Amino acid sequence: MTHSQLPAGLVVIGGGPAGLTAAFESARNGIRPVVLEAGERVGGIARTEVHKGYRFDIGGHRFYTKVPEVQSLWEETLGPELRLTPRLSRIFYNQKFYQYPLDVWETLRNLGPIQSSAAVLSFTGARLRPNSHEESFEDWVTNRFGRRLFNTFFKTYTEKVWGIPCHEIRAEWAAQRIKDLSFGSAVRQALFPKREDGPKSLIREFHYPRLGPGMMWEMLQDRIGSLGGSVRTREEVTEVHHDGRKVTHVVTRSSNHRSTDIHAPQFISTMALDDLIARLRPAPPAEIVQAAASLRYRDFVLVGLVVRRTGLFADNWLYIHSPNVRVGRIQNFGNWSPDLVPDPGTSSIGMEYFCNRGDSTWTLPDDEFVHLASREVEQLGLAKAADVAWGVVIRQPKAYPVYDTEYRRHLDVLRNWLPKLANFQTIGRNGQHRYNNQDHSMLTGLAAVHRIMGEPADPWEVNTERSYYEEQRVNRTTT
Ligand SMILES: Cc1cc2nc3c(=O)[nH]c(=O)nc-3n(C[C@H](O)[C@H](O)[C@H](O)COP(=O)(O)OP(=O)(O)OC[C@H]3O[C@@H](n4cnc5c(N)ncnc54)[C@H](O)[C@@H]3O)c2cc1C
């Protein structure tokens, strides 16, 4: 009997960072995992797609963490392929570049005397009369920056990302992602500069695999294989069967439309919670189905453009705050790793569009999307549309779990019900409806396997603060 014919000790649904980390941890502890991945390749949202030799991230993916076990897994898997990349990312607004977190002098200089005075007045007003009901993202930022800076540097971009007005986004999201940043702290830093108190390498540089994040996940896939586990791509889990107390088996559909039943003593899922609940057989009670169906997501389209010019901009990525273009962020992949761009006489950029599946952005035909992105690059003054050699459109459903005002209530309903299935755990970004990064998803994978091994671990208790270390230090807002 070969390794791949041995019975599975664990079925893992999804071959993204959470699922592969769980599979690897179980394989190295003697529990044979079978990973079932619907997509063509592993990596989930952190995969790297290859078109004509050019490599595209689904948005750029930095590798940063404060968690030693995550860092060592990256290092031992990638070895010398994990490189340090210089970091630069700025806001591009009205043809000017702004550091983020905002640098006071640069902001005032770029805005000019009239807008700057208005910004300072509005900030002073917000400090003197803060909104005492700080419930929304808008309240939270306005209290710390004033309305004028909120309108210029937060509103448009945030609404592009989430597709809902800032007053409908919970303050908790701002508190998690922007941390203790305020215009006041920026002014204090400008007047009394303090040394950055984080390790410099984490702030000015970040780790990144030579061939993009997908390289990490493809190499981990190989390691799982060599430990006796199996990772099956193009195999989607369509049904999750249970007897009310435990999951008995899953049904998969492969790319050749073959259905297979897969049994195992333990199951871990990283699929989105709404998909999971819809695929449970028998269906759970109506209130559970209703709670899952009420969770919202934001979808994402990356338009990769290969431009016959170099040196378009120095940043790894730019935030685009102008309301007159639809693009929200632009990656410059050669600045992440030159090896992503096979022809050094060209640039490869990723134009990021945030949308909802089925809307006019999501459904734009590929050729029209490439035209739109090329026009917008020219409109922003970064390159001529005529310099675009070719483009590719990559659609990513459920890129972001949405923290709307109701999500917590729905999530709690699911979280209370799911433990009824004793041998089943749901982990990862969409598996827990948590806006996390790779390292946090990986930690949920480790916790789930440790729990199977009888340790007192709980993926729901993974502390996001541990993995948001860099945000705490640098006080950035990112998506
Ligand atoms: C634009 C953008 C930029 C980002 N930048 C960074 C960054 O700089 N650094 C960072 O660390 N993180 C970043 N992230 C976050 C990172 O992508 C996620 O944290 C990570 O991919 C989550 O891993 P996961 O395994 O939890 O989920 P996913 O990556 O979503 O993986 C889930 C997998 O499950 C599969 N699946 C789903 N349903 C089924 C099914 N029914 N059957 C079989 N397979 C199924 C999917 O195909 C997918 O491969 C970014 C995310 C986005 C959207």
Side-chain angles (χ1 to χ4, degrees):
M1 204 182 257
T2 63
H3 269 145
S4 61
Q5 291 166 320
L6 289 169
L10 167 68
V11 162
V12 178
I13 306 171
L20 289 181
T21 305
F24 178 70
E25 187 66 2
S26 79
R28 73 172 162 190
N29 284 287
I31 305 168
R32 182 173 177 269
V34 171
V35 179
L36 304 166
E37 167 54 50
E40 281 179 25
R41 53 163 60 80
V42 294
I45 305 171
R47 70 188 181 279
T48 302
E49 294 220 359
V50 189
H51 296 271
K52 301 187 190 177
Y54 286 77
R55 290 171 184 271
F56 301 93
D57 287 12
I58 313 307
H61 273 67
R62 283 172 293 154
F63 280 55
Y64 61 84
T65 186
K66 199 210 170 190
V67 184
E69 51 271 47
V70 167
Q71 185 68 31
S72 4
L73 190 52
W74 289 340
E75 285 175 9
E76 80 194 29
T77 303
L78 287 160
E81 302 286 26
L82 186 63
R83 310 273 172 88
L84 271 173
T85 297
R87 169 187 183 145
L88 179 64
S89 70
R90 289 172 293 175
I91 293 171
F92 190 55
Y93 176 73
N94 269 351
Q95 312 298 320
K96 295 209 168 84
F97 292 98
Y98 294 80
Q99 301 285 340
Y100 192 87
L102 296 175
D103 173 290
V104 173
W105 303 130
E106 180 191 68
T107 306
L108 298 180
R109 202 171 44 243
N110 279 352
L111 287 177
I114 296 171
Q115 278 211 58
S116 293
S117 314
V120 169
L121 274 177
S122 122
F123 167 70
T124 314
R127 295 314 292 165
L128 293 175
R129 287 183 310 281
N131 183 344
S132 52
H133 299 290
E134 205 175 72
E135 277 168 17
S136 68
F137 178 86
E138 182 165 339
D139 302 335
W140 197 97
V141 177
T142 308
N143 274 352
R144 284 158 186 80
F145 290 85
R147 181 150 299 276
R148 195 87 189 191
L149 289 175
F150 164 75
N151 282 337
T152 311
F153 292 111
F154 293 89
K155 186 178 188 314
T156 313
Y157 179 72
T158 308
E159 290 182 354
K160 276 186 190 177
V161 173
W162 295 108
I164 46 178
C166 285
H167 64 258
E168 282 181 27
I169 301 171
R170 287 184 69 93
E172 158 187 357
W173 182 80
Q176 184 189 336
R177 303 303 291 188
I178 307 180
K179 302 289 176 190
D180 51 356
L181 181 62
S182 70
F183 194 59
S185 62
V187 171
R188 276 194 299 282
Q189 173 67 18
L191 296 176
F192 312 105
K194 270 194 297 193
R195 272 190 44 235
E196 288 161 327
D197 57 353
K200 209 161 188 150
S201 63
L202 274 184
I203 293 169
R204 299 283 170 226
E205 299 174 310
F206 54 83
H207 281 109
Y208 187 74
R210 183 175 62 85
L211 296 177
M215 187 180 205
M216 164 68 201
W217 305 113
E218 284 155 27
M219 287 176 84
L220 195 63
Q221 173 181 16
D222 292 345
R223 291 185 79 190
I224 294 166
S226 58
L227 288 169
S230 109
V231 180
R232 289 152 57 166
T233 53
R234 297 181 180 156
E235 188 136 357
E236 180 179 354
V237 171
T238 52
E239 294 173 16
V240 177
H241 289 256
H242 66 98
D243 63 11
R245 284 175 298 119
K246 60 179 188 340
V247 169
T248 52
H249 64 284
V250 295
V251 179
T252 66
R253 191 182 47 220
S254 58
S255 48
N256 58 9
H257 304 293
R258 250 192 40 210
S259 276
T260 317
D261 289 6
I262 303 176
H263 294 255
Q266 293 287 340
F267 295 82
I268 291 177
S269 168
T270 68
M271 72 167 114
L273 280 168
D274 63 340
D275 290 335
L276 167 70
I277 298 296
R279 288 164 196 219
L280 281 176
R281 304 285 182 277
E287 69 268 23
I288 306 302
V289 175
Q290 177 62 37
S294 306
L295 293 174
R296 289 163 70 192
Y297 302 86
R298 188 75 169 147
D299 308 299
F300 175 90
V301 179
L302 181 106
V303 183
L305 297 180
V306 171
V307 183
R308 293 185 214 90
R309 268 191 49 207
T310 56
L312 302 187
F313 54 90
D315 309 57
N316 311 96
W317 70 91
L318 291 175
Y319 296 101
I320 307 298
H321 284 235
S322 321
N324 51 344
V325 287
R326 278 151 86 176
V327 66
R329 209 165 51 167
I330 307 182
Q331 305 290 337
N332 193 344
F333 288 117
N335 293 343
W336 289 75
S337 166
D339 289 349
L340 302 183
V341 185
D343 177 349
T346 60
S347 299
S348 160
I349 57 175
M351 307 282 286
E352 299 185 8
Y353 294 86
F354 307 96
C355 54
N356 291 331
R357 208 166 358 170
D359 73 10
S360 60
T361 303
W362 180 264
T363 54
L364 202 59
D366 287 7
D367 54 341
E368 287 181 34
F369 226 142
V370 171
H371 276 122
L372 169 76
S374 309
R375 270 201 320 274
E376 293 199 336
V377 166
E378 176 158 330
Q379 213 174 322
L380 290 165
L382 295 169
K384 290 258 178 292
D387 288 334
V388 174
W390 56 272
V392 60
V393 178
I394 302 170
R395 291 180 178 77
Q396 176 61 52
K398 297 188 174 164
Y400 298 94
V402 173
Y403 285 9
D404 57 21
T405 47
E406 298 298 310
Y407 94 96
R408 171 71 70 190
R409 190 165 57 81
H410 302 308
L411 190 58
D412 285 346
V413 171
L414 300 175
R415 212 180 140 173
N416 289 334
W417 185 83
L418 282 162
K420 285 191 194 318
L421 305 174
N423 64 343
F424 179 82
Q425 300 180 76
T426 174
I427 61 166
R429 181 165 164 115
N430 287 334
Q432 296 186 326
H433 205 79
R434 279 196 186 164
Y435 184 86
N436 57 11
N437 278 320
Q438 293 174 98
D439 60 339
H440 179 228
S441 270
M442 292 169 71
L443 281 175
T444 63
L446 294 177
V449 172
H450 296 163
R451 185 158 173 264
I452 291 172
M453 289 161 54
E455 293 172 25
D458 180 353
W460 289 99
E461 295 301 320
V462 167
N463 180 358
T464 53
E465 293 307 313
R466 266 183 100 197
S467 48
Y468 285 123
Y469 169 74
E470 190 195 31
E471 253 80 1
Q472 285 175 326
R473 294 291 190 156
V474 191
N475 288 330
R476 303 184 58 85
T477 176
T478 59
T479 60

